[in-house]
Amino acid sequence: MKGQIKTRKVLIFALLFLSLNILVACQGQKPESGGKIEKPDITPGFLTISGNGVKAPSRFTLAELKDMEEAQTSQCYSIVNNWPSKKYMVGRGIELSYLLKKAGIKDEAQTISFQAVDGYFAVFTRQQLEEKRFYYPKLMEGSEEEAQEVPAILAWEHREGSKDLSKASGGKLTLLLGQKGLNDVQAQVCVKDVAVIEVLTLPPGQWSTVQATPAPGRIKPGTEIVLHHSEQDQVKIYYTADGSSPSEKSLLYNPSTTYYQPELNKPLVVKQSVTIKAIAVGYGKNDSQIASFAYDVEGY
Ligand SMILES: Nc1nc2c(c(=O)[nH]1)N[C@H]1C(S)=C(S)[C@@H](COP(=O)(O)O)O[C@H]1N2
Ligand SMILES: [Mo]
């Protein structure tokens, strides 16, 4: 009898565990930082704002968006892709924050994704869409001078390779947003032909911690330290070598993805004892914890 109850308990526990896993797996179907889905659930001709993070799920036609004159704006953007190549872009459209407010974004909303007609999508933490972002008119020169704060917009007119606001012309609804720093790579999250904005209360999660090879400890002078990450092509690794906390203003370890120009992601050559601190930053999840790697150079 006692044994039977025990087996039943174990069974119930196992079932609960299984269903929990299925639930988690279903929520995780979309990779958090972007990708492509085969059959996007879209309504042609409409921009849909849905999800449990809005009080008033809404649908707008392009004509309706263009009628919201109070939230229209023309902006310049500096844009960097994963190659990395740089460009300027002008766009005219509607401020995203206005649309989200109109759809009644809840305080609990945490994750916002943009789905395109071709199935392409990008995911953001709410913070990534609400924090200050900039247009760097001297991006090509590698200078932050004259940076201007710019809003995220859904543009119905844009022009690539131009800073001339009058050059924006008709196109599909494109998400345009500023950079957090000169090294911020945001081209891949500028979704073209946006059809659905999904706002969720789902917590976005955190990028895993940066790893270093060889492991911290005693090394020979001139040893090359490789920094890496389990989702290397979805994050930028920033580091310091002076003990300070790294941020997206620090040195960038991986300017390119592994499939474009991996030779640009150079190991760090350590000649004297040093502590390298690194952080992973990327769209769709919160910044990783800071990793700290202390190297003790022999004979120093
Ligand atoms: N709808 C849609 N938007 C998209 C993509 C896509 O495949 N489909 N590619 C993204 C990626 S990976 C990049 S780098 C830029 C490319 O922009 P460009 O063609 O203007 O350089 O668009 C982004 N937006
Ligand atoms: Mo890209």
Side-chain angles (χ1 to χ4, degrees):
M1 189 65 193
K2 228 181 175 179
Q4 259 182 3
I5 291 173
K6 215 172 175 183
T7 1
R8 235 175 51 204
K9 263 191 182 162
V10 168
L11 248 166
I12 288 169
F13 188 78
L15 264 169
L16 252 167
F17 185 75
L18 229 145
S19 48
L20 246 166
N21 268 306
I22 290 168
L23 222 137
V24 169
C26 289
Q27 283 191 333
Q29 253 170 12
K30 290 183 193 175
E32 281 115 307
S33 42
K36 203 138 186 174
I37 33 179
E38 285 309 317
K39 282 197 190 120
D41 183 18
I42 58 163
T43 313
F46 285 92
L47 171 70
T48 303
I49 305 182
S50 60
N52 66 359
V54 287
K55 290 177 212 136
S58 313
R59 278 192 343 178
F60 305 104
T61 63
L62 186 55
E64 285 170 339
L65 294 179
K66 287 183 176 174
D67 275 343
M68 299 172 191
E69 280 172 29
E70 63 278 23
Q72 280 180 34
T73 180
S74 296
Q75 301 285 346
C76 283
Y77 295 87
S78 50
I79 294 182
V80 180
N81 68 17
N82 270 314
W83 178 258
S85 55
K86 306 170 180 180
K87 68 178 174 190
Y88 300 109
M89 171 108 100
V90 289
R92 178 165 22 259
I94 188 157
E95 289 199 23
L96 179 70
S97 59
Y98 176 87
L99 282 182
L100 293 177
K101 210 179 269 174
K102 215 172 169 74
I105 187 166
K106 296 178 188 169
D107 290 343
E108 311 90 87
Q110 293 193 63
T111 304
I112 302 173
S113 67
F114 293 76
Q115 232 169 272
V117 172
D118 64 358
Y120 186 83
F121 70 94
V123 184
F124 298 83
T125 68
R126 182 179 189 171
Q127 189 192 347
Q128 286 165 343
L129 286 174
E130 289 184 346
E131 66 200 341
K132 285 188 180 171
R133 293 183 168 273
F134 300 90
Y135 158 53
Y136 297 103
K138 296 197 169 169
L139 173 74
M140 300 299 168
E141 293 88 337
S143 163
E144 288 190 357
E145 270 170 53
E146 294 165 46
Q148 290 164 38
E149 192 182 339
V150 285
I153 69 169
L154 280 172
W156 50 74
E157 291 181 354
H158 64 269
R159 177 61 142 259
E160 274 178 42
S162 179
K163 290 179 171 182
D164 182 349
L165 291 172
S166 70
K167 289 266 164 64
S169 66
K172 305 276 170 62
L173 266 193
T174 298
L175 173 66
L176 295 176
L177 73 160
Q179 296 181 280
K180 254 190 97 177
L182 286 170
N183 288 319
D184 185 11
V185 170
Q186 99 280 38
Q188 78 286 7
V189 290
C190 289
V191 180
K192 297 166 183 169
D193 209 358
V194 175
V196 179
I197 303 175
E198 196 177 32
V199 183
L200 298 175
T201 57
L202 185 73
Q206 183 179 31
W207 292 107
S208 63
T209 312
V210 176
Q211 310 284 313
T213 308
R218 249 178 125 61
I219 54 168
K220 293 210 162 67
T223 301
E224 293 191 340
I225 309 295
V226 174
L227 299 183
H228 46 102
H229 189 268
S230 54
E231 288 133 308
Q232 178 104 3
D233 291 330
Q234 295 185 64
V235 298
K236 289 295 165 198
I237 299 171
Y238 297 95
Y239 69 95
T240 63
D242 62 1
S244 65
S245 291
S247 71
E248 58 284 311
K249 299 274 174 205
S250 308
L251 297 161
L252 175 60
Y253 182 84
N254 58 338
S256 185
T257 46
T258 55
Y259 46 84
Y260 287 141
Q261 301 189 86
E263 66 276 13
L264 295 183
N265 312 334
K266 293 190 194 77
L268 310 174
V269 180
V270 173
K271 293 180 181 147
Q272 50 191 340
S273 296
V274 68
T275 295
I276 295 165
K277 292 189 178 179
I279 189 169
V281 177
Y283 289 96
K285 292 187 195 182
N286 293 321
D287 295 355
S288 75
Q289 286 184 294
I290 293 172
S292 184
F293 310 108
Y295 292 97
D296 193 10
V297 171
E298 285 174 16
Y300 241 79

